[in-house]
Amino acid sequence: MEEHERIRISGVINDVTFTNPENGFTVLELESGDELITAVGVMPELKAGELLELSGYWDFHASFGRQFRVELCEHKMPASAGDILRYLAAGGVKGIGSKLAVKIVDKFGENTLDIIENDPERLAQIRGISPEKAKQISADFKRQFAVREIMISLEKYGMTTAECVKAFNAFGVRAADIIKRNPYALCGEGVDFSFERAEFIADQLPDPPDNGYRLQAGVLHVMSHNLSNGHTCIPREKMFAPCAELLSTNEDTVDITIDELIGSGRLVNEFIDNREFLFLPHIYKAEKSSAERMKQILRFPPAGRKAADREIDRIEKKNGIKYGDLQRKAIVTAIERGLLILTGGPGTGKTTTLNGILQLFEDDGLKVALAAPTGRAAKRMSEVTGRPAKTIHRLLEVEWDKHDRPQFSRNARNPLDAQAVILDELSMVDITLFSSFLEALPIGCRLVMVGDSDQLPPVGAGNVLHDMIASGIIPVVELTEVFRQAMESLIVENAHRIVKGEPPKLGVRDKDFFFMRTDSPFIAAKTVSDLYVARLPRAYGYSPLDDIQVICPSRMGECGTNNINRVMQASLNPPDASKPETTVGATVFRTGDKVMQTRNNYDIEWTGPDGDGTGIFNGDIGILRKVDFRSRMAEIMFDERKAVIPFEALQELELAYAVTVHKSQGNEFPAVIMPIIGVPPRLAYRNLLYTGVTRAKKILVLVGSQSQIYSMAANDKKARRYSALKHFLLVNEE
């Protein structure tokens, strides 16, 4: 028989050895006649004992030998009593084991499956099956076949197994009918299709869906797009043109559609300074509730303590240090008022101040929790305080609902077991996470928030730190004095010059801040590669993967992350027969690559030295250690956490030899290389340059155009970000 000749085989599943729930890729053993066959392919929701008819071809895998590659899988339910018994005894239906299977089939024979599906109450006649258990058995049986029917009905539109399961969870057994009537329902919570994918399905339907569904989905798509750009709200009039263009309609129709969405509660409107703004409901709730919680803390502060100054004197004497005036003010505010935003640039003593606050909290017998937005930021916080710190997600004990949306075990009903919380890197925290964090604070809990207000706003929606400072109602201490020891660092000195709008000192030798001038993007990219691969490792003993990070203002161009990542990968991790690789879109992921997670994924499980957990988050950097084609899984080490993810989740990764400034937030690296040449005008701002410079702990090398560096330092314009936290904080306060 020729290789790849299409044939059909049938048999009974002996064992399902592997299944990937994300895409339905399955490896199973099939009894076909007297032969035990290994079959591989997309075959979702299978159980041992089922009858299958498979279409496909024979193939030979270098590691696993002869396999049957499945192109089409047809399910045939067992008909005889013996086959039904085998199916149920193998765990074909949740809740039925081998002993119970014998009892059920003995009683109902060939009618067993019909009774499970249509008359489950009769199962309660059997000892060991309660009426409630009978319902659960029937529900699981129906779910299996409902998902299969959905897949059969919708596979032509490219829906994966995981997406069909989500559709079933969202819409139930009528999922296929609902989607065919209104494919834009897939854009809602629980399935979260893009508008473009819903449009693709709509275009293929025999009967076009109601245009009202399309109009409303399009408007919500534009709202979500603005959310992904950091806006929590958008002026109503700014929605008209992009929605009209997307939907090929007029602005009046968009206006009417917006009113319909407000009327149905799918959009919320709020007048701010006599201008109407639109919100997605969950974002509106997050901003408003965050403001209300902060005002509650201000109205009912924790019990203050007296004589804070005397206690600070004691700590100074004990630790042999002398706090500056602003440091002292910050400690007093934290102790006496129980609420503080502590901000300041590098070298201003934020860490020293924070440790002073922490020591006084502990001297008072308070149980203190430390948290930061990312794993690396939490690790750094632990190192500088000598106390354990967690990511905000771990602190709040993240879990998931049936739609795979994050839910936090710590909330208003189950607050944190802490009397004081210190939250670092506040500039990175978006409004939804901040709202969940505030909700979990117990009444009377002290709160210290630390951040650098001159850095970029968070990747997610909102402008939490900036809005709270701008409101003027929350205690803020900004540390401005740069201590002499810190000022010996040219990184620190130039960071402060940039903040002031002054040109950084370039061309100074024998320091920690270096500049390599070129006006050629091509030469700049080559210089960056040479520095990363050879020069810095040779001069300082740094590991490219562990110690050096290239940080770029943009993704595009010769000196953007896309190109530099390709160059770095070719130099550091070229193709090799011993390094399995897979391609996702235009990106090759190869064993040994440095990668970054680009969106929060709460589902990914990991193991680490301190236990197991779930969730890998936007900005987490790791090393791809293993690519397994048999299981279609990849193993990645994120610092000390080992995560195993399906190939489909690789689309949430990108190569990380070079990352954007935005993605570098919250991280620090021993050495940073930053190309500054050909920066797009929309990114050529002071806070972007400042944020990139302050990612370096020991060595910073700028490569590129002196004039562009100077112009970025001088440009204090910031990309406009619409948010309403300040508004809600000031409502009824004036």
Side-chain angles (χ1 to χ4, degrees):
M1 183 179 297
E2 291 183 2
E3 192 178 42
H4 292 186
E5 179 184 350
R6 269 56 180 177
I7 62 171
R8 295 174 69 87
I9 61 173
S10 60
V12 178
I13 299 175
N14 180 66
D15 187 29
V16 179
T17 58
F18 172 82
T19 187
N20 182 343
E22 290 293 319
N23 63 358
F25 181 85
T26 299
V27 181
L28 58 84
E29 292 180 347
L30 188 77
E31 291 185 18
S32 181
D34 296 330
E35 189 178 5
L36 192 62
I37 293 167
T38 298
V40 300
V42 178
M43 299 176 284
E45 299 285 321
L46 296 179
K47 301 290 177 70
E50 288 192 76
L51 297 176
L52 300 181
E53 188 162 303
L54 307 176
S55 297
Y57 59 90
W58 289 106
D59 195 12
F60 188 86
H61 193 283
S63 301
F64 306 110
R66 187 170 180 256
Q67 298 177 332
F68 189 78
R69 291 276 177 180
V70 178
E71 296 179 323
L72 178 66
C73 173
E74 298 179 51
H75 306 81
K76 298 181 179 295
M77 290 306 299
S80 69
D83 286 342
I84 293 172
L85 175 59
R86 182 179 181 183
Y87 168 64
L88 294 179
V93 179
K94 188 176 179 181
I96 300 178
S98 57
K99 292 182 179 178
L100 197 55
V102 172
K103 294 180 181 179
I104 296 172
V105 176
D106 277 349
K107 187 170 182 64
F108 301 116
E110 295 178 355
N111 298 320
T112 295
L113 297 183
D114 181 65
I115 287 169
I116 291 174
E117 182 177 10
N118 301 309
D119 198 10
E121 295 83 4
R122 293 178 63 184
L123 294 176
Q125 300 172 11
I126 296 172
R127 189 173 181 180
I129 302 180
S130 66
E132 184 60 34
K133 185 173 182 177
K135 292 178 182 178
Q136 290 174 354
I137 289 171
S138 182
D140 181 73
F141 183 77
K142 290 177 181 177
R143 176 191 170 279
Q144 291 181 40
F145 289 91
V147 172
R148 290 175 183 173
E149 289 300 316
I150 292 169
M151 287 201 67
I152 292 169
S153 181
L154 301 176
E155 65 180 356
K156 69 184 74 171
Y157 308 123
M159 289 185 63
T160 67
T161 302
E163 290 168 345
C164 289
V165 171
K166 286 183 177 181
F168 175 81
N169 289 336
F171 308 125
V173 295
R174 295 184 60 246
D177 292 336
I178 291 170
I179 292 166
K180 288 177 180 179
R181 187 180 77 251
N182 175 21
Y184 300 98
L186 291 166
C187 299
E189 290 187 5
V191 189
D192 299 319
F193 267 32
S194 68
F195 180 75
E196 289 78 10
R197 283 199 68 189
E199 286 270 75
F200 175 78
I201 294 174
D203 288 342
Q204 297 180 79
L205 294 175
D207 300 314
D210 186 289
N211 194 48
Y213 296 139
R214 179 175 179 270
L215 291 171
Q216 293 192 8
V219 171
L220 293 174
H221 168 77
V222 174
M223 284 295 302
S224 297
H225 177 74
N226 280 293
L227 186 67
S228 66
N229 286 335
H231 305 292
T232 63
C233 54
I234 200 77
R236 179 170 180 146
E237 73 273 9
K238 287 189 174 293
M239 290 287 291
F240 296 154
C243 288
E245 182 178 359
L246 173 71
L247 296 165
S248 301
T249 189
N250 57 66
E251 294 188 3
D252 287 342
T253 300
V254 173
D255 200 24
I256 293 168
T257 303
I258 288 173
D259 282 335
E260 292 172 350
L261 288 166
I262 293 172
S264 66
R266 298 175 74 189
L267 284 181
V268 179
N269 64 329
E270 177 88 8
F271 284 87
I272 302 174
D273 297 331
N274 297 315
R275 191 180 188 187
E276 187 180 7
F277 284 79
L278 302 175
F279 300 75
L280 292 171
H282 71 287
I283 298 296
Y284 178 84
K285 180 183 178 182
E287 285 208 296
K288 193 170 184 178
S289 65
S290 294
E292 290 171 351
R293 184 73 175 94
M294 292 303 300
K295 290 192 283 189
Q296 182 187 51
I297 294 173
L298 289 167
R299 285 195 301 269
F300 305 101
R305 75 171 277 168
K306 298 178 181 179
D309 280 311
R310 199 162 55 242
E311 288 300 306
I312 295 172
D313 292 340
R314 178 180 62 79
I315 289 179
E316 285 182 329
K317 186 176 181 180
K318 177 182 177 182
N319 297 334
I321 60 174
K322 182 69 177 176
Y323 294 113
D325 291 343
L326 288 173
Q327 289 179 303
R328 198 176 186 95
K329 179 183 177 182
I331 298 172
V332 169
T333 303
I335 299 303
E336 294 186 348
R337 300 194 63 181
L339 178 63
L340 171 69
I341 293 176
L342 177 65
T343 185
T348 56
K350 290 199 301 290
T351 297
T352 302
T353 307
L354 186 61
N355 279 326
I357 294 170
L358 183 56
Q359 189 168 343
L360 284 181
F361 280 169
E362 291 175 341
D363 287 350
D364 275 354
L366 301 180
K367 188 172 184 178
V368 186
L370 308 182
T374 67
R376 288 201 169 199
K379 184 179 180 181
R380 189 173 70 249
M381 195 180 188
S382 273
E383 291 169 352
V384 301
T385 63
R387 282 84 165 175
K390 297 180 179 179
T391 64
I392 301 172
H393 292 85
R394 290 202 74 187
L395 182 72
L396 300 182
E397 299 174 17
V398 66
E399 296 179 344
W400 300 268
D401 63 15
K402 68 176 184 178
H403 300 302
D404 291 331
R405 294 174 298 198
Q407 302 290 323
F408 296 107
S409 297
R410 295 292 183 174
N411 48 44
R413 296 180 300 278
N414 181 32
L416 294 168
D417 182 19
Q419 296 157 305
V421 178
I422 298 175
L423 175 60
D424 200 9
E425 295 286 357
L426 182 61
S427 64
M428 294 185 63
V429 181
D430 63 43
I431 190 61
T432 54
L433 185 57
F434 189 63
S435 173
S436 297
F437 168 77
L438 290 178
E439 183 185 345
L441 291 181
I443 300 298
C445 183
R446 298 171 181 273
L447 176 60
V448 176
M449 297 170 284
V450 186
D452 188 343
S453 58
D454 293 312
Q455 289 188 25
L456 292 168
V459 174
N463 213 355
V464 172
L465 176 59
H466 178 270
D467 281 1
M468 287 200 296
I469 293 174
S471 74
I473 69 170
I474 296 171
V476 178
V477 175
E478 181 181 6
L479 303 179
T480 56
E481 180 187 357
V482 181
F483 289 91
R484 181 175 56 81
Q485 186 176 356
M487 211 58 188
E488 294 174 0
S489 164
L490 193 55
I491 294 174
V492 172
E493 182 181 352
N494 277 338
H496 285 274
R497 290 179 66 88
I498 291 168
V499 164
K500 296 174 184 176
E502 300 172 1
K505 294 180 180 178
L506 304 178
V508 179
R509 297 186 178 274
D510 302 321
K511 284 281 191 175
D512 54 1
F513 187 113
F514 302 92
F515 173 58
M516 303 184 73
R517 181 172 181 174
T518 177
D519 292 320
S520 165
F522 175 80
I523 294 175
K526 187 176 185 305
T527 301
V528 167
S529 179
D530 290 343
L531 286 164
Y532 188 90
V533 175
R535 295 173 66 174
L536 289 184
R538 187 169 56 242
Y540 298 97
Y542 288 150
S543 162
L545 294 183
D546 299 328
D547 301 320
I548 309 173
Q549 186 61 56
V550 178
I551 299 177
C552 308
S554 173
R555 294 182 180 277
M556 308 310 292
E558 288 273 3
C559 290
T561 57
N562 292 346
N563 181 58
I564 288 183
N565 272 319
R566 285 193 292 268
V567 172
M568 299 296 193
Q569 186 187 50
S571 297
L572 280 174
N573 195 30
D576 189 285
S578 65
K579 299 177 183 176
E581 63 182 54
T582 186
T583 301
V584 180
T587 304
V588 175
F589 291 105
R590 184 173 298 129
T591 304
D593 276 335
K594 187 176 184 178
V595 296
M596 172 180 277
Q597 183 76 13
T598 62
R599 63 179 292 272
N600 292 341
N601 189 322
Y602 303 91
D603 294 330
I604 296 176
E605 298 180 352
W606 52 261
T607 58
D610 299 324
D612 302 340
T614 54
I616 299 294
F617 304 111
N618 190 357
D620 285 350
I621 294 174
I623 305 297
L624 181 59
R625 296 298 190 195
K626 188 177 182 181
V627 175
D628 188 340
F629 286 96
R630 180 177 174 86
S631 64
R632 295 185 61 79
M633 305 291 280
E635 179 184 299
I636 303 170
M637 291 297 299
F638 292 97
D639 292 325
E640 297 178 325
R641 298 168 297 161
K642 181 175 77 173
V644 179
I645 67 172
F647 276 11
E648 287 65 39
L650 291 174
Q651 64 186 355
E652 299 174 357
L653 297 175
E654 60 187 30
L655 295 176
Y657 302 101
V659 301
T660 63
V661 176
H662 287 83
K663 292 293 187 183
S664 73
Q665 284 183 267
N667 291 328
E668 285 185 348
F669 310 93
V672 168
I673 306 165
M674 192 173 179
I676 303 291
I677 187 170
V679 180
R682 62 183 179 82
L683 297 172
Y685 300 145
R686 180 187 301 168
N687 63 346
L688 186 138
L689 177 62
Y690 172 80
T691 301
V693 166
T694 54
R695 300 308 91 204
K697 291 195 294 185
K698 297 180 179 179
I699 296 290
L700 174 74
V701 186
L702 295 186
V703 181
S705 166
Q706 177 175 296
S707 61
Q708 181 143 62
I709 293 170
Y710 285 175
S711 66
M712 287 180 71
N715 186 3
D716 66 349
K717 182 181 177 182
K718 299 177 182 178
R720 180 69 184 270
R721 179 172 285 208
Y722 293 107
S723 60
L725 181 58
K726 176 186 173 182
H727 162 76
F728 289 125
L729 283 168
L730 293 176
V731 169
N732 302 322
E733 295 295 318
E734 298 176 347

